[in-house]
Amino acid sequence: MIEPEENMLSITQLSKYYGKNHVLKDVNLSLNKGEVLCIIGPSGSGKSTFLRCINLLEQPTSGAISYRGKNILDKSLNVSSYRQHVGMVFQGYYLFPFKNVINNITMAPMTLLKENREDAEKEASQLLEKVGMAEKKLVYPASLSGGQKQRVAIARALAMHPDLLLFDEPTSALDPELVGEVLKVMKKLADEGMTMIVVTHEMGFAKEVANRVIFMEGGYIVEEGSPKDIFQHPQNDRTKEFLARFIN
Amino acid sequence: MDLKWKDAFVTLGPSLLQGVVVVLQATFFGFILATIIGLLVAICRLSKHKPLRAIFVVLVEIIRGTPLLVQLFYIYYVIPILLDGLLKALGSGSANIQFSALSAGIAGLAINYGAYISEVFRSAILTIDTGQKESGLALGFTEQQVLRKIIIPQALRNSIPVLGNYLVMMIKDTSLLAVISVSELLLRTQTYASQTFETVESYTMLAVVYLILSLPLSHLMKMIENKFHIVR
């Protein structure tokens, strides 16, 4: 089933400038299929920018990203078809407000994968079941809570059958009591073997679900290791300092 | 004052009914074309292609900087002469081009309102959260598809209230078509009033007819607005 050694993503010497502002500095990363990687770090550390470079919502200034051995920074790459393999869940959900829940989910597979309505809706229903939103099929996003919106957004991303899912602070905009329901869904996906990169402030989730944790600050990867390494035996002073804030 | 309401009603009334048909035709086609023009111009003005943007900025400014009345004269009287000259210069002889007054009027309304409506659409498109675009791109839609399937449907819905305003304005602006001899309501009323001297009766009737046309339309637009309103 899962071949743990299969390389999915390989990033070398990634660098990103916004004007003169150097936000990503020599970032290197290798990710295998089935891995769950959590990226932690203070605001402005470059972790979201890093994530957005992976699906090319941001264009890196220099460096290399290869996805399953293919250079995705190649000018001749069809960016849209690459993105179909890499799903993304945003902090702000960004459901389509003029479509009800099920149409939010079926839109991409029907348009991009040419699925017919019947198949797409059947699959969407299964996905909604999975994220615990089956009863809200015909409802419009406006009447959902933040946690519900985010679960629908996850289902929407899954409908494209991505090989890799990127989460950009998926619970940061949620009321504290709604965080759990979203994390539960994400844990379920991780348990099913989904390859995930999660930018998060949820240290509990990172500890419990991640295979590997990266601590970023000032555009650098400061420290990288297993959750145990990072949370129990952090080597770098910056990491210790950052984590200390969460322990209290 | 001796007012002949009955006379005016019996004689001018049926004529105004015919005028209503002309007004509705002009508004219907004028508004649909204006909406299409407005959307296309808005998209061109938001394109990444600089010269294309510049051309449409200039065109929109020309249209907004000149009165509709002048534009109507220009389309009806000047353009045929220019086209004729162009054809002659190309050596294909005199074609004797002439638009019907109504089609020239519809073209004038469509272009004039198209320029204003393009600004409505442009700002509506710009106010859609960039997250909408990014989530569409992240799913694998192309920029084109994002615009067509995600941004424009929302921008159109958000524009409905303002479009409704323009529609009611256009119905009233059809009265300007009288100057290029479209036999709409004003021209019919003027003709009748000058022949019978029933000035008070004629123009009062005219005003009432415009009211009858525009009030239900405002209500209709309200209903459409509510139906398509996106709850946030």
Side-chain angles (χ1 to χ4, degrees):
Chain A
M1 295 234 307
I2 301 163
E3 294 169 35
E5 294 308 311
E6 189 187 335
N7 182 273
M8 181 157 281
L9 199 64
S10 170
I11 296 172
T12 40
Q13 295 186 320
L14 198 72
S15 179
K16 169 76 183 171
Y17 284 85
Y18 287 120
K20 282 187 179 154
N21 208 353
H22 200 178
V23 290
L24 281 182
K25 300 163 188 164
D26 188 26
V27 174
N28 295 283
L29 175 81
S30 171
L31 187 77
N32 288 338
K33 189 170 178 207
E35 256 194 295
V36 177
L37 172 74
C38 282
I39 305 177
I40 60 172
S43 318
S45 60
K47 49 196 198 310
S48 283
T49 306
F50 177 45
L51 197 71
R52 290 161 58 85
C53 282
I54 293 173
N55 71 349
L56 301 177
L57 284 182
E58 301 289 348
Q59 194 64 36
T61 311
S62 65
I65 303 178
S66 85
Y67 170 80
R68 298 197 140 151
K70 239 191 343 217
N71 173 15
I72 62 154
L73 298 180
D74 189 338
K75 287 274 174 285
S76 66
L77 175 97
N78 183 336
V79 177
S80 309
S81 62
Y82 162 66
R83 287 191 185 123
Q84 292 180 18
H85 299 283
V86 182
M88 185 161 191
V89 175
F90 297 83
Q91 180 179 346
Y93 336 118
Y94 304 130
L95 296 178
F96 306 130
F98 61 108
K99 288 182 178 288
N100 65 19
V101 163
I102 192 140
N103 288 337
N104 257 279
I105 297 171
T106 56
M107 184 183 174
M110 282 175 66
T111 313
L112 301 170
L113 306 177
K114 309 286 174 217
E115 283 182 23
N116 64 41
R117 178 169 291 283
E118 203 185 332
D119 291 349
E121 285 188 350
K122 206 171 125 198
E123 200 193 341
S125 300
Q126 289 165 354
L127 289 171
L128 284 173
E129 196 82 48
K130 185 178 198 161
V131 300
M133 291 290 295
E135 308 91 79
K136 300 285 186 180
K137 236 187 237 187
L138 301 177
V139 155
Y140 281 81
S143 55
L144 299 177
S145 73
Q148 292 174 325
K149 282 182 196 171
Q150 198 58 297
R151 286 185 282 149
V152 173
I154 293 172
R156 179 176 68 174
L158 289 174
M160 287 298 290
H161 312 289
D163 300 320
L164 168 63
L165 259 187
L166 310 174
F167 292 84
D168 189 7
E169 304 200 25
T171 58
S172 297
L174 296 176
D175 292 338
E177 74 268 24
L178 302 177
V179 170
E181 62 190 58
V182 173
L183 294 181
K184 208 173 105 194
V185 169
M186 290 166 62
K187 182 170 186 318
K188 195 149 110 189
L189 290 177
D191 291 343
E192 288 171 8
M194 174 62 79
T195 316
M196 295 162 45
I197 302 179
V198 186
V199 170
T200 187
H201 292 292
E202 292 297 327
M203 298 305 147
F205 178 83
K207 247 183 242 176
E208 190 190 348
V209 182
N211 305 107
R212 194 150 44 115
V213 177
I214 282 177
F215 171 66
M216 281 185 81
E217 190 177 57
Y220 290 105
I221 292 183
V222 174
E223 194 163 351
E224 178 177 352
S226 70
K228 207 173 153 194
D229 293 340
I230 299 286
F231 291 109
Q232 290 173 17
H233 314 288
Q235 302 299 311
N236 191 291
D237 287 344
R238 298 293 306 123
T239 318
K240 288 176 193 166
E241 203 177 301
F242 175 75
L243 289 173
R245 277 182 260 158
F246 284 89
I247 291 158
N248 303 323
Chain B
M1 200 160 39
D2 179 23
L3 295 181
K4 298 176 182 154
W5 287 106
K6 202 179 157 213
D7 274 10
F9 196 78
V10 171
T11 322
L12 180 58
S15 170
L16 286 186
L17 267 185
Q18 289 175 326
V20 165
V21 174
V22 175
V23 165
L24 291 180
Q25 271 179 331
T27 311
F28 181 77
F29 292 111
F31 197 72
I32 287 177
L33 287 173
T35 309
I36 295 168
I37 290 173
L39 190 57
L40 293 178
V41 172
I43 291 169
C44 290
R45 283 200 57 183
L46 293 169
S47 105
K48 285 178 184 149
H49 197 60
K50 237 182 179 169
L52 187 70
R53 277 194 332 242
I55 289 170
F56 280 98
V57 171
V58 172
L59 286 178
V60 167
E61 286 314 313
I62 290 174
I63 299 296
R64 296 206 304 178
T66 52
L68 175 55
L69 207 52
V70 174
Q71 291 160 13
L72 288 170
F73 279 121
Y74 207 86
I75 291 171
Y76 191 53
Y77 296 113
V78 180
I79 300 261
I81 298 172
L82 294 180
L83 278 179
D84 206 47
L86 186 71
L87 283 179
K88 271 189 193 131
L90 291 173
S92 43
S94 176
N96 205 5
I97 299 156
Q98 188 59 53
F99 311 125
S100 80
L102 182 59
S103 44
I106 289 172
L109 288 171
I111 292 169
N112 183 275
Y113 276 73
Y116 287 95
I117 289 174
S118 76
E119 288 293 283
V120 175
F121 285 149
R122 198 170 71 94
S123 67
I125 289 171
L126 287 174
T127 52
I128 303 292
D129 192 329
T130 50
Q132 290 289 317
K133 177 181 169 185
E134 290 187 346
S135 68
L137 290 177
L139 283 166
F141 288 106
T142 62
E143 298 253 355
Q144 283 285 325
Q145 287 170 323
V146 166
L147 186 67
R148 222 174 50 234
K149 291 171 176 290
I150 297 169
I151 307 297
I152 288 178
Q154 294 182 58
L156 283 181
R157 281 173 170 80
N158 295 347
S159 305
I160 287 174
V162 188
L163 289 186
N165 243 343
Y166 278 115
L167 180 61
V168 176
M169 273 168 65
M170 187 187 277
I171 242 193
K172 291 179 289 183
D173 270 354
T174 56
S175 58
L176 294 173
L177 305 195
V179 299
I180 54 167
S181 76
V182 174
S183 51
E184 45 65 73
L185 295 167
L186 179 62
L187 191 64
R188 287 166 188 272
T189 309
Q190 272 179 334
T191 314
Y192 180 80
S194 63
Q195 284 164 359
T196 61
F197 301 106
E198 294 166 11
T199 312
V200 176
E201 301 89 324
S202 310
Y203 287 102
T204 308
M205 272 180 73
L206 176 65
V208 169
V209 171
Y210 273 117
L211 264 181
I212 293 172
L213 282 176
S214 52
L215 285 185
L217 206 61
S218 308
H219 274 277
L220 182 72
M221 289 314 295
K222 255 274 140 357
M223 276 162 59
I224 294 175
E225 194 181 318
N226 289 335
K227 180 155 167 32
F228 286 102
H229 179 63
I230 305 174
V231 189
R232 280 173 202 283

